[in-house]
């Protein structure tokens, strides 16, 4: 119904307030409406905290009886850290629930809506479903595919060069683009890079340009476990993923508050597909990749890249510089990898391209 849309728009706006904080939970908003008037609003802020429906019901109080609850995700029907929201809605006496989408979590999927219907609550689902799925693209990926949504960020010149031949890359893009990149870091659950980038740039890969109450997990792919414990990325639970454990090096990293996991793959490298599954078990919804051409190419070859976030600077560097992806030479254009460009916009003087890998 068209009358539902404005209230679901508001619920999605509320859900987005948890963009940086809800991990590993989904971002959820709720609006309770009675006789055309909003009587309660709520949004989920962080795991372990009250859910959006609970907060909205508390705000509505007795006015929730006979009202309609608009929620961006199917109300939960299981006991986690908090009681089931479906039961809370029934107890409050709401007359109807409009959900943007069903919950992809197998513990919930369909059960919350069924519980509401069985209690006599009118239920509608699918209102602004696409927008709701986009807001929780990582949570949906983890629940439905068993791996995070992988977003790869690349800063390059207009001719696709990410660094000079001598490795220098700071700064190809302008300050506005770098600040925008921190927004995407902040919404991610984890940031992934490779040992080559650590050696070359010694990055921190934390969020500095955006106000946030948490830092994403940092993950380094280092097949031979060569990373120095003194590297700036090490510490505060940094995960180093290797293909061969060296006990002395592992102990040194653990002493600096890092952890080490061995996931050997073919050819002496890390099994990247296994890494994605491990990250999913650790509650990683969105994985933000900032790496060099080698790791970028490996992830793309293995079909593990979902989205490209590319900033193109208004400069020409030349073919002798470093590219975006280390990939085998193609012999036919039919072998090229297709993407769907979703958005193109200016960020300062740089061009930002958002694309989905098919």
């Amino acid at each position: 119904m068209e009358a539902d849309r404005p209230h679901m728009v508001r619920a999605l706006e509320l859900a987005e307030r948890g963009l940086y904080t809800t991990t590993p939970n989904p971002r959820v908003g709720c609006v309770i409406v009675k006789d055309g008037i909003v009587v309660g609003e709520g949004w989920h802020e962080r795991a372990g905290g009250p859910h959006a429906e609970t907060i909205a019901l508390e705000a509505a109080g007795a006015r929730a009886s006979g009202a309609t609850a608009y929620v961006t995700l199917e109300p939960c029907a299981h006991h986690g850290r908090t009681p089931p929201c479906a039961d809370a809605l029934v107890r409050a006496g709401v007359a109807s629930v409009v959900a943007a989408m069903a919950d992809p979590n197998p513990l919930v999927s369909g059960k919350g809506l069924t519980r509401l219907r069985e209690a006599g609550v009118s239920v509608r689902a699918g209102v602004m479903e696409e927008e709701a799925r986009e807001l929780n693209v990582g949570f949906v990926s983890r629940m439905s595919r068993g791996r995070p949504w992988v977003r790869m960020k690349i800063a390059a010149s207009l001719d696709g060069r990410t660094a000079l031949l001598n490795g220098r890359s700071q700064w190809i893009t302008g300050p506005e683009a770098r600040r925008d990149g921190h927004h995407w870091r902040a919404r991610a659950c984890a940031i992934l890079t490779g040992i080559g980038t650590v050696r070359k740039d010694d990055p921190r890969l934390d969020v500095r340009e955006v106000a946030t109450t948490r830092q994403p997990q940092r993950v380094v792919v280092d097949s031979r476990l060569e990373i120095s414990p003194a590297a700036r990325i090490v510490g505060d639970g940094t995960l180093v993923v290797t293909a061969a454990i060296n006990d002395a090096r592992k102990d040194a990293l653990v002493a600096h508050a890092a952890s080490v996991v061995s996931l050997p793959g073919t050819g002496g490298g890390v099994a990247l597909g296994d890494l994605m599954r491990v990250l999913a078990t650790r509650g990683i919804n969105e994985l933000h990749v900032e790496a060099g051409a080698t790791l970028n190419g490996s992830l793309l070859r293995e079909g593990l890249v979902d989205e490209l976030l590319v900033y193109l600077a208004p400069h020409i560097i030349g073919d002798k510089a470093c590219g975006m992806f280390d990939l085998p030479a193609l012999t036919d254009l039919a072998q090229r990898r297709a993407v769907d460009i979703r958005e193109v916009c200016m960020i300062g003087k740089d061009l930002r391209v958002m694309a989905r890998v098919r």
Side-chain angles (χ1 to χ4, degrees):
M1 295 175 61
E2 194 59 33
D4 293 331
R5 190 175 178 87
H7 299 306
M8 191 61 77
V9 167
R10 177 57 180 166
L12 287 165
E13 290 173 350
L14 292 168
E16 196 168 0
R17 294 183 182 181
L19 194 65
Y20 302 157
T21 60
T22 62
T23 181
N25 287 357
R27 299 139 183 160
V28 182
C30 179
V31 175
I32 297 177
V33 179
K34 187 170 186 179
D35 299 325
I37 298 172
V38 174
V39 295
E41 294 185 339
W43 56 281
H44 181 51
E45 183 175 355
R46 58 176 45 87
H51 287 189
E53 298 95 320
T54 301
I55 297 170
L57 286 171
E58 288 180 355
R63 294 174 296 177
S65 179
T68 297
Y70 293 87
V71 61
T72 58
L73 188 68
E74 175 184 1
C76 61
H78 69 289
H79 282 271
R81 298 188 191 183
T82 58
C85 291
D87 291 350
L89 291 163
V90 170
R91 286 195 303 273
V94 298
S96 61
V97 171
V98 180
M101 61 176 288
D103 193 327
N105 185 346
L107 292 174
V108 179
S109 189
K111 297 175 184 176
L113 299 180
T114 297
R115 185 171 297 185
L116 291 167
R117 290 190 181 100
E118 290 175 346
V121 178
S122 172
V123 173
R124 295 195 303 279
V127 177
M128 300 189 71
E129 180 174 1
E130 183 177 350
E131 292 85 348
R133 291 181 71 87
E134 284 296 316
L135 184 60
N136 284 306
V137 66
F139 180 76
V140 172
S141 176
R142 180 166 67 89
M143 290 296 164
S144 62
R145 302 190 299 177
R147 69 173 182 85
W149 180 264
V150 178
R151 180 180 296 114
M152 181 175 286
K153 178 255 183 178
I154 300 173
S157 61
L158 191 61
D159 56 341
R161 305 290 111 179
T162 61
L164 302 181
L165 189 59
N166 62 14
R168 293 181 182 175
S169 61
Q170 298 179 340
W171 298 102
I172 285 180
T173 53
E176 295 88 354
R178 297 198 296 275
R179 192 173 304 116
D180 188 69
H182 277 253
H183 157 80
W184 293 97
R185 282 186 187 180
R187 67 172 284 166
C189 304
I191 300 174
L192 176 72
T193 194
I195 184 61
T197 298
V198 173
R199 281 205 206 97
K200 184 180 68 176
D201 296 335
D202 192 23
R204 284 183 285 177
L205 287 184
D206 56 3
V207 179
R208 300 183 299 278
E209 298 285 344
V210 173
T212 181
T213 57
R214 66 162 186 92
Q215 289 290 339
Q217 163 90 62
R218 293 177 293 179
V219 184
V220 180
V221 173
D222 179 9
S223 59
R224 293 190 289 270
L225 202 58
E226 297 171 324
I227 190 169
S228 167
R232 294 199 300 171
I233 200 171
V234 173
D236 297 324
T238 300
L239 176 63
V240 181
V241 187
T242 185
I245 287 289
N246 178 301
D247 288 337
R249 293 176 185 173
K250 176 182 177 180
D251 291 345
L253 290 167
V254 171
H256 283 77
S259 59
V260 179
V261 171
S262 179
L263 295 172
T266 57
V270 168
L272 295 173
D274 290 345
L275 171 58
M276 296 304 154
R277 287 184 282 275
V278 167
L279 293 176
T281 64
R282 295 182 176 214
I284 303 301
N285 294 329
E286 294 183 22
L287 179 65
H288 180 91
V289 179
E290 293 194 28
T294 300
L295 183 54
N296 285 354
S298 296
L299 289 165
L300 191 64
R301 279 197 307 274
E302 296 196 27
L304 298 174
V305 181
D306 297 304
E307 190 167 51
L308 297 173
L309 173 65
V310 182
Y311 298 88
L312 295 175
H315 308 292
I316 303 295
I317 295 179
D319 285 348
K320 296 295 189 292
C322 301
M324 298 183 184
F325 301 97
D326 182 4
L327 294 169
L330 304 184
T331 57
D332 193 292
L333 283 176
Q335 299 169 321
R336 60 191 170 182
R337 289 166 172 82
V339 302
D340 294 318
I341 295 177
R342 307 268 296 192
E343 180 188 58
V344 178
C345 66
M346 296 299 298
I347 304 292
K349 295 182 179 180
D350 302 311
L351 189 70
R352 188 184 76 187
V353 180
M354 297 285 297
R356 295 273 168 91
V357 180
R358 290 185 191 171

